[in-house]
Amino acid sequence: MTNKPVLELKNVSKTYTIKQGLFGKPKPLRALNDVSLNLQHGEVLGLVGESGCGKSTLAKILLGLEAPSEGQVLVDGQALAGQDRIALSRRIQPIFQDPYSSLNPRKSIEDIITLPLRVHGIGDSASRDRELHKMLDIVGLPARVARSYPSQMSGGQRQRVAIARALIMKPEIVICDEPTSALDVSVQSQILNLLADLRAEFGLTYLFISHNLAVVEHLATRVAVMYLGRIVEEADVATLFETARHPYSRALLASVLTPDPDMGVPDTQLGAAYPNPIAPPSGCAFHPRCAKVMPHCSRIAPWPVPTSDGHVECHLYDQQPLQAAS
Amino acid sequence: MNDAPLLSVRGLTLDIPTSGGTLHAVRGIDFDLNRGETLCIVGESGSGKSLTSLALMGLLAPKIRRTAVRMTFDGTDLQKASRRQLRQLRGDRMSMIFQEPMTSLNPAYTIGDQLTETLLLHKKVSRAKARARAIELLEKVGITAAESRLSQYPHQLSGGLRQRVMIAMALMCEPELIIADEPTTALDVTIQAQILRLLVDLQREMNMALILITHDLGVVARVADKVAVMYAGELVETGPASAIFRNPAHPYTRGLINCIPVPGRNERGARLGTIPGIVPSLVGEVTGCPFRGRCDQRVAICDTAAPLRRLPDGHEFRCVHPDGHRHEEVTA
Ligand SMILES: Nc1ncnc2c1ncn2[C@@H]1O[C@H](COP(=O)(O)OP(=O)(O)OP(=O)(O)O)[C@@H](O)[C@H]1O
Ligand SMILES: Nc1ncnc2c1ncn2[C@@H]1O[C@H](COP(=O)(O)OP(=O)(O)OP(=O)(O)O)[C@@H](O)[C@H]1O
Ligand SMILES: [Mg+2]
Ligand SMILES: [Mg+2]
């Protein structure tokens, strides 16, 4: 494992414009706000955070599917903008959140999964067919589905098709956006074991976006926590799950539902002051919901405070030097 | 009438003609649901959970053949109901939250149009009232800037926002039954917890019945009154949530529980439990226990039989073994 980032975001921001009301003026929505992030060769970076905080936007920018409004994306230290798309897609493959909209409804499953091979002119039809059946087997789909169409499959079956399509190229980097949320737990565990095996065998690198923290804890080596377009905490997986620092990270961990029938749904203690991305709160974006809010949190935006294995962006930690894993 | 279940289903069967023969996607399922109760359906991907809910809502594709011994909603026979009656029921008294929001939100209309449509259709309210209700519900499901979201189109929302729009839409008419197909998969855990609390509260307030389809056994454990485990078109185990989690009887249910990563139980990064093998084809005739090909408790008679076993407290499962475990003495 080298320490050179294979993918890098440098001060990336992304702003969308949305219309306010029927006749209102368009307003900017800052989906990513000056985000810097490294993906090291061979690591699994888990990305977690509130729904709508910008995780998929970040993934799309890393894949070159959306251009950043500001900042830079680097692949092996080279600017992504201007690099050959086809060559890149051989190295970086996505697995998306919504398997329905990412599969062409008019193509058979066979065509969908082998498309990357055909685009890159890899193999002949016999070898492509072998690869197809190998992938179907790996993702736990019977060979008989090859001739089916996406509309004839269940949600989880479609997601497995998307996974097979991404992995058939043996990419170096896989950007996974909620890859297993549509799957039953037995298929999920199969896919997670597969992702781990591929990493051990071929040194694959993953960005793994998931709302399932148990899965992130299981697979990730490092975790980044996002809140409203910012990465508010970054740490090794053990640190984050054992001694999370940011109050939002702690709220996330406290909301995990373990399969315990004696317990009800916990109160998140976060209140309903959901942040409005068009008019983000002043100071620290999390302050209206924070259990540890201090007077200056609403006035001064926090800045990243380096820790032994990452950073945390919270005024609780920027007064005095941080103790390692306090 | 008050003691009768709100929803009663017996022998629901769904057959789909395919080029290779008939796919027996759902093979005779039975359940009852009372007002104020939550039934969670879990199970293997492709086992027929979504089709079952579409069948209840009368929204199946025309080519899918549905038969049932009984399928009633508050005494109304859903099999005999006319299209008009069904349309009347849907959205007003029973509503559905679909698994994939993108397929059920119309990309050409704004969120606001889609939210107010059902209310304008079923209840005599003004446009302004409908709009106000839409904003109120969007706020309840945790969407801020609700007013400006109304003029957005589905593709401009994140996955979780779309899912919450669907949830708000299902609640617009205060239905008596909600069928929610994976309603919280695209949501982070804090919002998931808040939405589940909202559903549970509304359910208490309005004595609403809830069918929740989910792969998340954590959600099931925390909200279900009853659990139904589906495999290959059958309910292989049903019962009170506490019984299913404490004494899972069917080998498939035990396998499922064993697959979830549980902090503390699994070492970080260690391999997870799996259920080897794949689901049998349901095309053509299906005999015996559908799980036998993957089951570590299999014996010879599993090829032909999977009898229904009854345990105390309405806990039932289908297996040749009286307690779901193979013992040496079992023979034909
Ligand atoms: N094309 C677009 N036009 C306008 N706004 C957009 C567009 N795409 C995304 N957004 C907004 O940007 C923000 C971030 O969206 P994004 O999809 O990245 O969130 P996310 O973290 O992936 O959320 P989820 O967990 O719900 O999938 C949201 O407020 C979303 O509404
Ligand atoms: N229109 C269709 N034509 C042919 N087969 C279909 C059709 N719709 C569904 N099926 C098949 O019926 C079976 C049940 O599908 P269903 O969508 O109910 O699964 P599910 O239990 O909801 O799965 P998931 O958890 O993955 O959403 C699947 O094997 C699917 O491939
Ligand atoms: Mg997303
Ligand atoms: Mg489904």
mmCIF file of all heavy atoms in Angstrom, chain B residues 79-109:
data_model
loop_
_atom_site.group_PDB
_atom_site.id
_atom_site.type_symbol
_atom_site.label_atom_id
_atom_site.label_comp_id
_atom_site.label_asym_id
_atom_site.label_seq_id
_atom_site.Cartn_x
_atom_site.Cartn_y
_atom_site.Cartn_z
ATOM 1 N N GLN B 79 -61.222 -8.392 -4.809
ATOM 2 C CA GLN B 79 -61.219 -9.093 -6.089
ATOM 3 C C GLN B 79 -62.402 -8.686 -6.949
ATOM 4 O O GLN B 79 -62.339 -8.705 -8.162
ATOM 5 C CB GLN B 79 -61.259 -10.605 -5.872
ATOM 6 C CG GLN B 79 -60.048 -11.115 -5.131
ATOM 7 C CD GLN B 79 -60.026 -12.620 -5.137
ATOM 8 O OE1 GLN B 79 -59.477 -13.235 -6.035
ATOM 9 N NE2 GLN B 79 -60.633 -13.213 -4.132
ATOM 10 N N LYS B 80 -63.526 -8.342 -6.263
ATOM 11 C CA LYS B 80 -64.721 -7.989 -7.030
ATOM 12 C C LYS B 80 -64.834 -6.489 -7.285
ATOM 13 O O LYS B 80 -65.662 -6.050 -8.069
ATOM 14 C CB LYS B 80 -65.968 -8.462 -6.258
ATOM 15 C CG LYS B 80 -66.054 -9.989 -6.122
ATOM 16 C CD LYS B 80 -67.521 -10.451 -6.158
ATOM 17 C CE LYS B 80 -67.629 -11.962 -5.959
ATOM 18 N NZ LYS B 80 -67.765 -12.309 -4.531
ATOM 19 N N ALA B 81 -64.005 -5.707 -6.594
ATOM 20 C CA ALA B 81 -64.126 -4.257 -6.724
ATOM 21 C C ALA B 81 -63.877 -3.810 -8.162
ATOM 22 O O ALA B 81 -63.019 -4.354 -8.851
ATOM 23 C CB ALA B 81 -63.134 -3.575 -5.790
ATOM 24 N N SER B 82 -64.650 -2.821 -8.587
ATOM 25 C CA SER B 82 -64.457 -2.304 -9.941
ATOM 26 C C SER B 82 -63.221 -1.414 -9.946
ATOM 27 O O SER B 82 -62.722 -0.999 -8.906
ATOM 28 C CB SER B 82 -65.671 -1.476 -10.356
ATOM 29 O OG SER B 82 -65.739 -0.315 -9.544
ATOM 30 N N ARG B 83 -62.759 -1.110 -11.135
ATOM 31 C CA ARG B 83 -61.630 -0.203 -11.264
ATOM 32 C C ARG B 83 -61.885 1.104 -10.541
ATOM 33 O O ARG B 83 -61.015 1.680 -9.919
ATOM 34 C CB ARG B 83 -61.443 0.160 -12.741
ATOM 35 C CG ARG B 83 -60.410 -0.645 -13.440
ATOM 36 C CD ARG B 83 -60.635 -0.436 -14.939
ATOM 37 N NE ARG B 83 -60.165 -1.600 -15.652
ATOM 38 C CZ ARG B 83 -58.928 -1.691 -16.141
ATOM 39 N NH1 ARG B 83 -58.090 -0.707 -15.985
ATOM 40 N NH2 ARG B 83 -58.546 -2.773 -16.771
ATOM 41 N N ARG B 84 -63.129 1.592 -10.684
ATOM 42 C CA ARG B 84 -63.480 2.880 -10.088
ATOM 43 C C ARG B 84 -63.396 2.799 -8.565
ATOM 44 O O ARG B 84 -62.847 3.672 -7.908
ATOM 45 C CB ARG B 84 -64.888 3.274 -10.526
ATOM 46 C CG ARG B 84 -64.946 4.754 -10.812
ATOM 47 C CD ARG B 84 -66.301 5.224 -11.282
ATOM 48 N NE ARG B 84 -66.687 6.333 -10.436
ATOM 49 C CZ ARG B 84 -67.593 6.267 -9.494
ATOM 50 N NH1 ARG B 84 -68.226 5.130 -9.282
ATOM 51 N NH2 ARG B 84 -67.862 7.320 -8.760
ATOM 52 N N GLN B 85 -63.966 1.710 -8.016
ATOM 53 C CA GLN B 85 -63.918 1.531 -6.554
ATOM 54 C C GLN B 85 -62.477 1.467 -6.065
ATOM 55 O O GLN B 85 -62.132 2.034 -5.036
ATOM 56 C CB GLN B 85 -64.630 0.233 -6.164
ATOM 57 C CG GLN B 85 -66.139 0.363 -6.064
ATOM 58 C CD GLN B 85 -66.755 -0.996 -5.798
ATOM 59 O OE1 GLN B 85 -66.575 -1.934 -6.593
ATOM 60 N NE2 GLN B 85 -67.486 -1.111 -4.692
ATOM 61 N N LEU B 86 -61.655 0.739 -6.821
ATOM 62 C CA LEU B 86 -60.254 0.603 -6.421
ATOM 63 C C LEU B 86 -59.540 1.943 -6.439
ATOM 64 O O LEU B 86 -58.796 2.282 -5.527
ATOM 65 C CB LEU B 86 -59.523 -0.363 -7.354
ATOM 66 C CG LEU B 86 -59.733 -1.843 -7.074
ATOM 67 C CD1 LEU B 86 -59.074 -2.688 -8.143
ATOM 68 C CD2 LEU B 86 -59.180 -2.209 -5.702
ATOM 69 N N ARG B 87 -59.830 2.709 -7.502
ATOM 70 C CA ARG B 87 -59.192 4.016 -7.600
ATOM 71 C C ARG B 87 -59.603 4.886 -6.418
ATOM 72 O O ARG B 87 -58.832 5.650 -5.874
ATOM 73 C CB ARG B 87 -59.552 4.675 -8.913
ATOM 74 C CG ARG B 87 -58.333 5.327 -9.538
ATOM 75 C CD ARG B 87 -58.560 5.970 -10.887
ATOM 76 N NE ARG B 87 -59.899 5.835 -11.367
ATOM 77 C CZ ARG B 87 -60.216 5.269 -12.547
ATOM 78 N NH1 ARG B 87 -59.299 4.785 -13.301
ATOM 79 N NH2 ARG B 87 -61.458 5.206 -12.950
ATOM 80 N N GLN B 88 -60.875 4.735 -6.046
ATOM 81 C CA GLN B 88 -61.409 5.477 -4.915
ATOM 82 C C GLN B 88 -60.685 5.098 -3.614
ATOM 83 O O GLN B 88 -60.335 5.954 -2.807
ATOM 84 C CB GLN B 88 -62.913 5.160 -4.799
ATOM 85 C CG GLN B 88 -63.706 6.184 -4.033
ATOM 86 C CD GLN B 88 -63.600 7.563 -4.672
ATOM 87 O OE1 GLN B 88 -63.703 7.700 -5.883
ATOM 88 N NE2 GLN B 88 -63.375 8.576 -3.840
ATOM 89 N N LEU B 89 -60.460 3.788 -3.439
ATOM 90 C CA LEU B 89 -59.788 3.310 -2.229
ATOM 91 C C LEU B 89 -58.338 3.769 -2.169
ATOM 92 O O LEU B 89 -57.838 4.187 -1.134
ATOM 93 C CB LEU B 89 -59.797 1.774 -2.191
ATOM 94 C CG LEU B 89 -61.067 1.067 -1.764
ATOM 95 C CD1 LEU B 89 -60.874 -0.442 -1.876
ATOM 96 C CD2 LEU B 89 -61.421 1.437 -0.332
ATOM 97 N N ARG B 90 -57.693 3.673 -3.323
ATOM 98 C CA ARG B 90 -56.266 4.007 -3.367
ATOM 99 C C ARG B 90 -56.058 5.488 -3.139
ATOM 100 O O ARG B 90 -56.759 6.306 -3.675
ATOM 101 C CB ARG B 90 -55.691 3.667 -4.751
ATOM 102 C CG ARG B 90 -55.299 2.250 -4.924
ATOM 103 C CD ARG B 90 -54.352 2.114 -6.103
ATOM 104 N NE ARG B 90 -54.936 2.580 -7.354
ATOM 105 C CZ ARG B 90 -55.550 1.789 -8.223
ATOM 106 N NH1 ARG B 90 -55.691 0.522 -7.981
ATOM 107 N NH2 ARG B 90 -56.017 2.288 -9.343
ATOM 108 N N GLY B 91 -55.102 5.808 -2.396
ATOM 109 C CA GLY B 91 -54.822 7.217 -2.162
ATOM 110 C C GLY B 91 -55.709 7.757 -1.069
ATOM 111 O O GLY B 91 -55.254 8.475 -0.197
ATOM 112 N N ASP B 92 -56.997 7.362 -1.054
ATOM 113 C CA ASP B 92 -57.885 7.865 -0.023
ATOM 114 C C ASP B 92 -57.815 7.003 1.236
ATOM 115 O O ASP B 92 -57.452 7.475 2.302
ATOM 116 C CB ASP B 92 -59.304 7.903 -0.581
ATOM 117 C CG ASP B 92 -60.244 8.577 0.395
ATOM 118 O OD1 ASP B 92 -59.750 9.179 1.368
ATOM 119 O OD2 ASP B 92 -61.464 8.495 0.192
ATOM 120 N N ARG B 93 -58.121 5.699 1.125
ATOM 121 C CA ARG B 93 -58.169 4.853 2.317
ATOM 122 C C ARG B 93 -56.975 3.923 2.430
ATOM 123 O O ARG B 93 -56.633 3.447 3.497
ATOM 124 C CB ARG B 93 -59.469 4.052 2.320
ATOM 125 C CG ARG B 93 -60.699 4.969 2.343
ATOM 126 C CD ARG B 93 -61.963 4.177 2.486
ATOM 127 N NE ARG B 93 -61.978 3.391 3.698
ATOM 128 C CZ ARG B 93 -62.810 2.361 3.896
ATOM 129 N NH1 ARG B 93 -63.653 1.997 2.949
ATOM 130 N NH2 ARG B 93 -62.767 1.696 5.017
ATOM 131 N N MET B 94 -56.370 3.559 1.318
ATOM 132 C CA MET B 94 -55.127 2.792 1.393
ATOM 133 C C MET B 94 -54.122 3.427 0.443
ATOM 134 O O MET B 94 -54.475 3.834 -0.657
ATOM 135 C CB MET B 94 -55.353 1.315 1.046
ATOM 136 C CG MET B 94 -56.136 1.021 -0.204
ATOM 137 S SD MET B 94 -56.861 -0.645 -0.120
ATOM 138 C CE MET B 94 -55.575 -1.580 -0.913
ATOM 139 N N SER B 95 -52.892 3.570 0.894
ATOM 140 C CA SER B 95 -51.931 4.147 -0.025
ATOM 141 C C SER B 95 -50.606 3.421 0.075
ATOM 142 O O SER B 95 -50.348 2.701 1.024
ATOM 143 C CB SER B 95 -51.775 5.649 0.185
ATOM 144 O OG SER B 95 -51.313 5.896 1.477
ATOM 145 N N MET B 96 -49.818 3.637 -0.936
ATOM 146 C CA MET B 96 -48.584 2.864 -1.047
ATOM 147 C C MET B 96 -47.380 3.779 -1.222
ATOM 148 O O MET B 96 -47.445 4.775 -1.922
ATOM 149 C CB MET B 96 -48.711 1.926 -2.249
ATOM 150 C CG MET B 96 -47.463 1.155 -2.517
ATOM 151 S SD MET B 96 -47.791 -0.472 -3.170
ATOM 152 C CE MET B 96 -46.111 -1.066 -3.322
ATOM 153 N N ILE B 97 -46.304 3.414 -0.550
ATOM 154 C CA ILE B 97 -45.024 4.092 -0.748
ATOM 155 C C ILE B 97 -44.160 3.118 -1.538
ATOM 156 O O ILE B 97 -43.868 2.030 -1.060
ATOM 157 C CB ILE B 97 -44.366 4.429 0.605
ATOM 158 C CG1 ILE B 97 -45.298 5.308 1.438
ATOM 159 C CG2 ILE B 97 -43.017 5.091 0.395
ATOM 160 C CD1 ILE B 97 -44.878 5.466 2.892
ATOM 161 N N PHE B 98 -43.811 3.496 -2.757
ATOM 162 C CA PHE B 98 -43.148 2.549 -3.646
ATOM 163 C C PHE B 98 -41.663 2.424 -3.368
ATOM 164 O O PHE B 98 -41.028 3.335 -2.849
ATOM 165 C CB PHE B 98 -43.348 2.952 -5.104
ATOM 166 C CG PHE B 98 -44.758 2.816 -5.553
ATOM 167 C CD1 PHE B 98 -45.628 3.883 -5.471
ATOM 168 C CD2 PHE B 98 -45.229 1.609 -6.019
ATOM 169 C CE1 PHE B 98 -46.940 3.761 -5.875
ATOM 170 C CE2 PHE B 98 -46.533 1.471 -6.425
ATOM 171 C CZ PHE B 98 -47.402 2.554 -6.349
ATOM 172 N N GLN B 99 -41.140 1.251 -3.776
ATOM 173 C CA GLN B 99 -39.738 0.933 -3.538
ATOM 174 C C GLN B 99 -38.798 1.896 -4.255
ATOM 175 O O GLN B 99 -37.826 2.351 -3.686
ATOM 176 C CB GLN B 99 -39.477 -0.496 -4.016
ATOM 177 C CG GLN B 99 -38.087 -1.006 -3.748
ATOM 178 C CD GLN B 99 -37.986 -2.511 -3.979
ATOM 179 O OE1 GLN B 99 -38.881 -3.119 -4.545
ATOM 180 N NE2 GLN B 99 -36.910 -3.097 -3.525
ATOM 181 N N GLU B 100 -39.093 2.198 -5.505
ATOM 182 C CA GLU B 100 -38.184 3.062 -6.253
ATOM 183 C C GLU B 100 -38.887 4.365 -6.586
ATOM 184 O O GLU B 100 -39.657 4.440 -7.528
ATOM 185 C CB GLU B 100 -37.704 2.357 -7.510
ATOM 186 C CG GLU B 100 -36.627 1.346 -7.192
ATOM 187 C CD GLU B 100 -36.404 0.364 -8.311
ATOM 188 O OE1 GLU B 100 -37.077 0.459 -9.359
ATOM 189 O OE2 GLU B 100 -35.548 -0.510 -8.144
ATOM 190 N N PRO B 101 -38.601 5.417 -5.822
ATOM 191 C CA PRO B 101 -39.338 6.659 -5.994
ATOM 192 C C PRO B 101 -39.300 7.162 -7.433
ATOM 193 O O PRO B 101 -40.270 7.727 -7.920
ATOM 194 C CB PRO B 101 -38.636 7.652 -5.069
ATOM 195 C CG PRO B 101 -37.689 6.894 -4.243
ATOM 196 C CD PRO B 101 -37.594 5.511 -4.764
ATOM 197 N N MET B 102 -38.189 6.938 -8.134
ATOM 198 C CA MET B 102 -38.097 7.469 -9.489
ATOM 199 C C MET B 102 -39.119 6.852 -10.431
ATOM 200 O O MET B 102 -39.518 7.457 -11.408
ATOM 201 C CB MET B 102 -36.691 7.249 -10.049
ATOM 202 C CG MET B 102 -35.782 8.441 -9.900
ATOM 203 S SD MET B 102 -36.578 10.033 -10.057
ATOM 204 C CE MET B 102 -35.676 10.702 -11.430
ATOM 205 N N THR B 103 -39.536 5.619 -10.139
ATOM 206 C CA THR B 103 -40.481 4.991 -11.052
ATOM 207 C C THR B 103 -41.899 5.465 -10.784
ATOM 208 O O THR B 103 -42.754 5.357 -11.633
ATOM 209 C CB THR B 103 -40.466 3.458 -10.919
ATOM 210 O OG1 THR B 103 -40.821 3.142 -9.564
ATOM 211 C CG2 THR B 103 -39.125 2.889 -11.234
ATOM 212 N N SER B 104 -42.158 5.974 -9.583
ATOM 213 C CA SER B 104 -43.533 6.358 -9.308
ATOM 214 C C SER B 104 -43.726 7.870 -9.269
ATOM 215 O O SER B 104 -44.842 8.352 -9.238
ATOM 216 C CB SER B 104 -43.999 5.723 -8.008
ATOM 217 O OG SER B 104 -42.976 5.749 -7.070
ATOM 218 N N LEU B 105 -42.632 8.606 -9.282
ATOM 219 C CA LEU B 105 -42.779 10.049 -9.421
ATOM 220 C C LEU B 105 -42.713 10.350 -10.913
ATOM 221 O O LEU B 105 -41.882 9.806 -11.628
ATOM 222 C CB LEU B 105 -41.644 10.782 -8.692
ATOM 223 C CG LEU B 105 -41.721 10.769 -7.163
ATOM 224 C CD1 LEU B 105 -40.444 11.344 -6.569
ATOM 225 C CD2 LEU B 105 -42.933 11.528 -6.677
ATOM 226 N N ASN B 106 -43.602 11.213 -11.369
ATOM 227 C CA ASN B 106 -43.605 11.546 -12.778
ATOM 228 C C ASN B 106 -42.569 12.644 -13.051
ATOM 229 O O ASN B 106 -42.662 13.729 -12.505
ATOM 230 C CB ASN B 106 -45.003 12.028 -13.164
ATOM 231 C CG ASN B 106 -45.145 12.173 -14.662
ATOM 232 O OD1 ASN B 106 -44.179 12.514 -15.349
ATOM 233 N ND2 ASN B 106 -46.322 11.902 -15.170
ATOM 234 N N PRO B 107 -41.574 12.316 -13.891
ATOM 235 C CA PRO B 107 -40.476 13.270 -14.091
ATOM 236 C C PRO B 107 -40.935 14.590 -14.703
ATOM 237 O O PRO B 107 -40.243 15.593 -14.615
ATOM 238 C CB PRO B 107 -39.527 12.532 -15.042
ATOM 239 C CG PRO B 107 -40.328 11.436 -15.652
ATOM 240 C CD PRO B 107 -41.403 11.079 -14.676
ATOM 241 N N ALA B 108 -42.112 14.592 -15.344
ATOM 242 C CA ALA B 108 -42.545 15.783 -16.063
ATOM 243 C C ALA B 108 -43.328 16.766 -15.197
ATOM 244 O O ALA B 108 -43.640 17.866 -15.637
ATOM 245 C CB ALA B 108 -43.383 15.372 -17.266
ATOM 246 N N TYR B 109 -43.690 16.346 -13.972
ATOM 247 C CA TYR B 109 -44.466 17.240 -13.121
ATOM 248 C C TYR B 109 -43.694 17.644 -11.877
ATOM 249 O O TYR B 109 -42.860 16.887 -11.385
ATOM 250 C CB TYR B 109 -45.775 16.562 -12.698
ATOM 251 C CG TYR B 109 -46.725 16.378 -13.840
ATOM 252 C CD1 TYR B 109 -46.705 15.211 -14.589
ATOM 253 C CD2 TYR B 109 -47.617 17.390 -14.188
ATOM 254 C CE1 TYR B 109 -47.554 15.036 -15.667
ATOM 255 C CE2 TYR B 109 -48.470 17.229 -15.264
ATOM 256 C CZ TYR B 109 -48.441 16.059 -15.998
ATOM 257 O OH TYR B 109 -49.271 15.903 -17.052
#
